[in-house]
Amino acid sequence: MHKVGVLVSGRGSNLQAILDRIADGYLPLEVAVVISDKANALALERAAKVGIPTVVVARKECASKDEFEAKINVALVEAGCELVVLAGFMRILSGSFVNQWQQKIINIHPALLPSFPGLDAQGQAVNYGVKFSGCTVHFVDEGTDSGPIILQKVVPVLDDDTEETLAARILEQEHKAMPEALKLWAEGKLEIFGRHVRVLA
Ligand code: GRF
């Protein structure tokens, strides 16, 4: 069984979606460790509830970003992880971390990239006035939300949407998109050619 490490910062509903789809047999994966940069993240409780080891690496307790990322790296390696899943992890990883895990980091972003990268993607979409938004699961490269796209899911943006109502509609799709992408990865069906990810039959 492939082992993955999940990096989180907060609520952990995407982590929960992964755990639920492992539990129901859809996802052939083991979450070997959940790592949070916030000691009070609800995601840590979700992991602990099903016996998954958790590690907290607080940025402010590290002298540098290098030290912060080195600690995360040690936790991932010690747990035997082959893939790093960013599920609501609110920090940008450095180029050297990304290179160490080249093509082995997957992120979910709550917009249809390349539109609205960075923070507050749902608010950006509402303010811009787009008619559709959604979520994107992608491999992580050195840029912000710029790596090769694995899959996307689309939702309508309604006239009376607020950031919150749109975020809720997108989140429902996130909870489908991430397990789908991870299943493709676990089954060896993803091939990366430059910016393009091909899904094998
Ligand atoms: C999600 O919208 C994710 O796309 C974004 O942060 C949010 C995390 O939610 N990067 P959760 O912690 O998985 O509930």
Side-chain angles (χ1 to χ4, degrees):
M1 196 76 91
H2 291 293
K3 291 185 175 185
V4 305
V6 182
L7 269 56
V8 297
S9 295
R11 180 178 58 186
S13 70
N14 278 288
L15 169 67
Q16 191 65 56
I18 296 167
L19 297 177
D20 290 348
R21 298 315 309 268
I22 290 173
D24 73 14
Y26 171 80
L27 251 185
L29 281 182
E30 178 188 340
V31 176
V33 66
V34 170
I35 304 170
S36 176
D37 64 323
K38 297 269 185 283
N40 62 355
L42 178 59
L44 293 170
E45 289 173 35
R46 296 180 192 267
K49 204 177 275 181
V50 290
I52 294 169
T54 61
V55 176
V56 175
V57 183
R59 173 66 183 86
K60 61 177 186 297
E61 280 160 27
C62 300
S64 63
K65 185 164 180 163
D66 275 359
E67 186 187 322
F68 172 69
E69 292 185 343
K71 284 185 175 164
I72 291 174
N73 194 48
V74 166
L76 290 165
V77 171
E78 280 181 354
C81 298
E82 295 161 67
L83 183 80
V84 183
V85 178
L86 307 183
F89 183 65
M90 298 308 287
R91 288 182 183 273
I92 307 283
L93 294 164
S94 71
S96 67
F97 185 95
V98 170
N99 282 331
Q100 268 176 296
W101 291 89
Q102 215 168 28
Q103 303 191 338
K104 291 192 177 121
I105 309 176
I106 287 179
N107 181 44
I108 185 153
H109 182 74
L112 295 176
L113 293 170
S115 291
F116 315 128
L119 290 175
D120 187 26
Q122 303 94 333
Q124 291 186 57
V126 168
N127 291 338
Y128 196 93
V130 291
K131 302 298 186 189
F132 292 91
S133 190
C135 62
T136 304
V137 185
H138 64 95
F139 285 105
V140 172
D141 67 7
E142 290 183 35
T144 301
D145 300 323
S146 58
I149 291 172
I150 301 168
L151 60 86
Q152 297 183 298
K153 293 205 180 279
V154 181
V155 305
V157 181
L158 308 179
D159 287 345
D160 59 355
D161 262 336
T162 61
E163 184 182 333
E164 290 72 28
T165 58
L166 178 60
R169 193 174 307 119
I170 292 173
L171 194 64
E172 247 178 72
Q173 297 305 314
E174 290 185 50
H175 295 161
K176 295 180 184 155
M178 182 62 108
E180 275 178 33
L182 291 178
K183 187 176 174 76
L184 292 170
W185 176 82
E187 291 176 343
K189 290 185 175 162
L190 298 179
E191 278 189 1
I192 307 176
F193 298 91
R195 281 215 52 81
H196 297 260
V197 179
R198 278 188 210 142
V199 178
L200 305 176

